[in-house]
Amino acid sequence: DIVLTQSPALAVSLEQRATISCKTSQNVDNYGISYMHWYQQKPGQQPKLLIYEGSNLASGIPARFSGSGSGTDFTLTIDPVEADDIATYYCQQSKDYPPTFGGGTKLELK
Amino acid sequence: EVQLVESGGGLVQPGRSMKLSCAASGFTFSSFAMAWVRQAPTKGLEWVASISYDGGNTYYRDSVKGRFTISRDNAKSSLYLQMDSLRSEDTSTYYCAKDTGYYGYTAFDYWGQGVMVTVSS
């Protein structure tokens, strides 16, 4: 299985930039597409898709969110951070079965 | 508006069975793969099973193979998860999720609100 590694927590100030990383144990690119996706989950709610295929913004997601990276190193950037962005963020790969998720990064306020 | 509504959760004894359902609306259900993803209390997300748009291909995580069965009824726009020989480690919130493609290998763009399954004597 492909293992995805995220830092457990990140402290950030409002209106600053948050950078959340995800490292994979194997390359998740194929034919020029990065099979890496990002989700936001708030307490008591279901996950919400933010970014798909590395850098594509999902429907209805504000442009403050962006995704980058390739191969085994990926980043979710939130700029600027708003109070509503306080949540846990998960990366997920879909290049190979089984689909796997990172352990999640909890975004906290400084 | 896409909606996914799960049902069928609750408390069940170890070794017993339970069937989850997911009623879908707001999109052409028969054109997309679907999945079940679970989350144990205070833990992260864990993919459980997926099924292709036509039900012809199914995929399972190793820990549920031979115990869980994913299925779908495209005429009823419904997804199911039959869970047999349940174990305490299956205790989780189970989410129904829509895939963005026909066969999986893509992102999950819509999720249900989740249904809790507690396996305990």
Side-chain angles (χ1 to χ4, degrees), chain A residues 1 35 37 39 41 44-49 51-53 59 90 92 94-103, chain B residues 37 39 43-47 50 59-62 95 99-100 103-114:
Chain A
D1 296 4
Y35 289 90
H37 322 293
Y39 302 87
Q41 186 179 33
Q45 295 187 17
Q46 68 269 55
K48 178 193 295 185
L49 177 66
I51 301 288
Y52 64 96
E53 293 176 1
S59 176
Y90 294 93
Q92 178 237 329
S94 64
K95 178 178 179 290
D96 290 335
Y97 268 93
T100 46
F101 292 89
Chain B
V37 178
Q39 186 170 35
K43 301 297 184 183
L45 300 169
E46 181 176 85
W47 170 80
S50 289
Y59 311 88
Y60 300 92
R61 69 179 302 102
D62 284 348
Y95 295 101
D99 211 295
T100 58
Y103 290 101
Y105 292 98
T106 60
F108 304 120
D109 59 349
Y110 290 96
W111 299 61
Q113 83 286 352

Side-chain angles (χ1 to χ4, degrees), chain B residues 64-75:
Chain B
V64 308
K65 263 180 208 172
R67 300 190 299 122
F68 289 13
T69 303
I70 188 171
S71 62
R72 64 190 297 159
D73 184 338
N74 284 347

Side-chain angles (χ1 to χ4, degrees), chain B residues 17-102:
Chain B
S17 299
M18 177 175 279
K19 186 173 185 176
L20 305 182
S21 300
C22 172
S25 61
F27 66 102
T28 305
F29 182 76
S30 59
S31 293
F32 296 95
M34 297 292 295
W36 290 97
V37 178
R38 68 186 180 185
Q39 186 170 35
T42 72
K43 301 297 184 183
L45 300 169
E46 181 176 85
W47 170 80
V48 175
S50 289
I51 186 167
S52 60
Y53 72 105
D54 60 354
N57 296 86
T58 56
Y59 311 88
Y60 300 92
R61 69 179 302 102
D62 284 348
S63 62
V64 308
K65 263 180 208 172
R67 300 190 299 122
F68 289 13
T69 303
I70 188 171
S71 62
R72 64 190 297 159
D73 184 338
N74 284 347
K76 295 182 177 180
S77 295
S78 292
L79 177 72
Y80 307 100
L81 185 67
Q82 175 67 44
M83 304 184 292
D84 299 326
S85 303
L86 281 160
R87 305 167 180 168
S88 58
E89 55 263 36
D90 296 318
T91 294
S92 287
T93 295
Y94 285 74
Y95 295 101
C96 166
K98 172 186 169 293
D99 211 295
T100 58
Y102 291 116

